[in-house]
Amino acid sequence: METTVGRHRRVIMFPLPYQGHVNPMFQLANLLYSKGFSITIFHTNFNKPKTSNYPHFTFRFILDNDPHDERYANLPLQGMGAFSRIILFNKCGADQLRHQLELELSAKDEPPVSCLITDASWHFAQSVADCLNLPRLVLRTSSLFCFLIYASIPFLDDLGYFNLSDNTATPLLDGLGYNNVPDDKRLEEQVAEFPVLKVKDVIKIGFKKDNDGMGDIISNMVKQTKASSGIIWNSFKELEQLQLETIRRDIPAPCFLIPFAKHFTTASSSLLDQDRSFLPWLDQQPRNSIVYISFGSVAQVEEKHFVEMVHGLVDSKQSFLWVVRPGFVSGSTWLEPLPDGFPGERGRIVKWAPQQEVLGHEAIGAFWTHSGWNSTVESVCEGVPMICSPFWGDQPLDARYVSDVWKVGVYLENGWKREEITNAIRRVMADEEMREKSRGLKQKLDASLIEGGSSYESVESLVDYISSF
Ligand code: UDX
């Protein structure tokens, strides 16, 4: 085990405790450690990472140490309710964070603290860091274009985009089935202010200006990200050049774009155990023959939509590897709604997989994804074309860019309809032009990592910047 000996500067890192946020923060922590920094991780007990995978980091558990505290003791552990912690701790976490930071700043037996890096959604951390004169950088785990659109939510809300009649908007979000959406042409219209998007993409984000806890979180996240000392993005310049220019014009804090999946895997920060038992089977499959299916760590579907997915998949006659998390189908423990005989010889179903390794496997021909940003970047890193079935938040925005801007995937924008699923899978598996575009994007990414390339320079300038504090 390495220790802090020989490490002269320390970085304190504070991820949001959800898989899609923990992964990039630990990838960044590994990267900074490899550059000589000592790492201290602040974390909640909720979704505690496997600390034994990180003997070289120091862990401090904060915010939810009292198991009897009624504010959080009974909050849901699964599903959307688990996110209520973000709202709660942003409201009441400041004293504890300040106290723990004061202890770290005065510790005599540890290297001095250069800066704090928190998830952008821990917006309350900015005023705490300011009080202590500690530079705070943020890690933003979604794309740059998502940030720009989130920053425009109040404006889009004022323009009425979120106020389509409830009859139109509610079924669109309800279970994301889209089957009962009235024929409202406005949903298909372009958003004049962001012509890449359709009105329905904006509605599918699922939160609007200050309408609830999440609306507040987003607007404060944007405000305190702008006030931070720097923004680290899981992306690369060649992917989001225009958005980077816009952000650099509007925000004084420096931006660092680093495609984390190219530096470290997420195996050690996985909150669930990764099943590797199917790998010998995957090794036997022909090149580009398998559809890999996974919808991230939080998305849930209704049983009727799950059944529709199964039919779409069966009718496509493609072989597949499907990650079905326990709880993915609401009301089921795991695979109860599956028809007899499924998956048969054509496929494998697992609870959780080593996703990056799978995407890098030559048997994988396409990724049917919920368009979470980590999954999207991981797919781009491996040059795998995508079939996009987004749920909410940044996912519908990612799906739109994947299909309409980068043209490395197909967006299933009408929900779970078996014929459309079948067609999309067949199309993406057979479309050589799309595969070539995916390879082209991967090549740009690979080039950015070579000395002198944009991602390489981003890492170097981040290290220099942190060292300058
Ligand atoms: C969410 C949002 O969707 C995402 O856009 C946001 O930026 C962060 O929070 P999540 O829905 O879990 O995250 O999706 P995603 O961002 O794709 O992250 C999932 C992570 O879990 C990926 O790093 C993926 O490699 C990993 N994973 C997924 C596994 O390790 N094994 C699996 O079987 C499935």
Side-chain angles (χ1 to χ4, degrees):
M1 180 186 123
E2 283 192 62
T3 65
T4 55
V5 174
R7 294 178 180 268
H8 303 298
R9 306 292 299 187
R10 183 155 62 116
V11 177
I12 297 177
M13 309 185 74
F14 184 22
L16 209 67
Y18 304 92
Q19 187 73 79
H21 296 256
V22 165
N23 280 353
M25 187 65 94
F26 276 85
Q27 287 170 313
L28 175 61
N30 280 332
L31 186 59
L32 293 177
Y33 184 83
S34 76
K35 297 289 179 186
F37 293 98
S38 168
I39 303 295
T40 298
I41 304 278
F42 285 7
H43 209 283
T44 56
N45 292 278
F46 168 72
N47 273 347
K48 199 174 191 164
K50 290 176 189 150
T51 54
S52 56
N53 289 343
Y54 298 96
H56 47 312
F57 295 170
T58 304
F59 284 85
R60 312 282 188 217
F61 291 93
I62 61 167
L63 302 184
D64 59 354
N65 282 328
D66 176 0
H68 304 295
D69 191 322
E70 286 180 359
R71 288 172 304 172
Y72 50 77
N74 299 318
L75 290 178
L77 296 171
Q78 302 284 337
M80 293 304 290
F83 287 107
S84 43
R85 285 170 180 79
I86 308 179
I87 299 166
L88 177 72
F89 293 134
N90 267 298
K91 277 195 187 129
C92 65
D95 286 347
Q96 271 201 57
L97 177 63
R98 180 165 41 244
H99 175 66
Q100 190 60 46
L101 284 172
E102 281 167 349
L103 291 177
E104 304 300 336
L105 290 169
S106 58
K108 297 274 182 287
D109 50 351
E110 299 267 7
V113 178
S114 292
C115 67
L116 169 69
I117 302 180
T118 84
D119 192 283
S121 294
W122 283 143
H123 59 75
F124 78 101
Q126 187 60 46
S127 55
V128 176
D130 287 344
C131 280
L132 298 170
N133 280 325
L134 180 65
R136 168 188 179 247
L137 278 71
V138 303
L139 170 64
R140 180 68 195 148
T141 59
S142 302
S143 61
L144 282 79
F145 61 80
C146 168
F147 183 83
L148 289 172
I149 289 157
Y150 278 8
S152 306
I153 283 180
F155 169 65
L156 294 172
D157 202 356
D158 289 345
L159 291 173
Y161 282 109
F162 295 94
N163 294 339
L164 291 185
S165 72
D166 277 352
N167 287 343
T168 303
T170 307
L172 191 61
L173 291 167
D174 236 12
L176 291 141
Y178 318 156
N179 290 325
N180 304 319
V181 179
D183 183 21
D184 191 328
K185 288 199 190 67
R186 282 173 302 168
L187 290 174
E188 300 300 325
E189 283 171 9
Q190 268 185 339
V191 176
E193 297 73 18
F194 293 99
V196 167
L197 300 180
K198 291 185 184 177
V199 170
K200 65 183 177 188
D201 301 331
V202 172
I203 292 177
K204 278 192 243 170
I205 291 173
F207 14 87
K208 53 185 181 175
K209 186 174 70 174
D210 302 334
N211 68 332
D212 56 17
M214 278 318 281
D216 284 342
I217 292 288
I218 296 299
S219 61
N220 284 319
M221 180 279 289
V222 169
K223 185 171 160 203
Q224 301 303 352
T225 295
K226 290 181 176 176
S228 74
S229 299
I231 316 172
I232 305 163
W233 309 85
N234 185 15
S235 191
F236 64 106
K237 184 178 160 194
E238 287 71 12
L239 191 69
E240 302 199 78
Q241 177 105 36
L242 291 176
Q243 290 78 10
L244 179 61
E245 284 165 17
T246 307
I247 286 176
R248 284 200 164 138
R249 256 198 322 270
D250 293 352
I251 304 183
C255 286
F256 307 93
L257 277 62
I258 304 171
F260 295 124
K262 282 289 180 183
H263 291 275
F264 288 94
T265 77
T266 56
S268 49
S269 57
S270 191
L271 299 171
L272 297 172
D273 290 331
Q274 296 182 331
D275 185 344
R276 303 177 61 82
S277 61
F278 61 86
L279 287 169
W281 169 81
L282 196 60
D283 290 340
Q284 303 296 314
Q285 306 306 313
R287 191 178 171 77
N288 293 337
S289 68
I290 303 288
V291 184
Y292 170 62
I293 310 163
S294 166
F295 300 98
S297 61
V298 265
Q300 266 194 328
V301 284
E302 288 175 30
E303 182 172 328
K304 63 182 182 203
H305 299 139
F306 183 64
V307 171
E308 206 64 16
M309 293 162 86
V310 171
H311 283 291
L313 194 52
V314 169
D315 295 348
S316 77
K317 301 200 166 38
Q318 297 292 328
S319 301
F320 59 89
L321 169 65
W322 191 353
V323 175
V324 181
R325 262 180 12 257
F328 173 62
V329 185
S330 47
S332 297
T333 321
W334 190 32
L335 298 176
E336 299 92 304
L338 281 183
D340 288 344
F342 188 86
E345 279 312 298
R346 212 178 266 292
R348 291 284 183 279
I349 296 182
V350 294
K351 290 180 175 165
W352 196 244
Q355 178 161 303
Q356 276 170 269
E357 201 177 325
V358 168
L359 287 169
H361 197 289
E362 62 172 21
I364 300 299
F367 182 13
W368 185 9
T369 169
H370 71 312
S371 300
W373 186 243
N374 294 289
S375 293
T376 304
V377 176
E378 289 161 15
S379 205
V380 168
C381 281
E382 300 300 341
V384 177
M386 288 168 259
I387 300 135
C388 303
S389 290
F391 288 68
W392 37 255
D394 59 337
Q395 299 158 13
L397 312 175
D398 302 345
R400 184 61 67 200
Y401 269 75
V402 164
S403 71
D404 292 17
V405 180
W406 305 319
K407 301 188 189 304
V408 293
V410 162
Y411 182 1
L412 277 169
E413 52 189 281
N414 300 314
W416 310 110
K417 294 187 176 148
R418 64 181 74 178
E419 305 78 24
E420 293 185 14
I421 292 170
T422 302
N423 291 340
I425 293 175
R426 284 193 182 144
R427 176 172 162 213
V428 174
M429 288 297 274
D431 191 332
E432 277 311 314
E433 207 181 318
M434 194 180 287
R435 194 171 302 286
E436 201 41 52
K437 280 217 161 65
S438 306
R439 274 194 219 111
L441 209 49
K442 171 180 159 43
Q443 280 161 6
K444 278 190 191 163
L445 172 50
D446 288 342
S448 81
L449 294 158
I450 297 167
E451 191 168 350
S454 64
S455 301
Y456 179 94
E457 293 301 325
S458 234
V459 173
E460 295 304 300
S461 52
L462 175 62
V463 169
D464 290 347
Y465 186 57
I466 295 178
S467 304
S468 73
F469 293 130

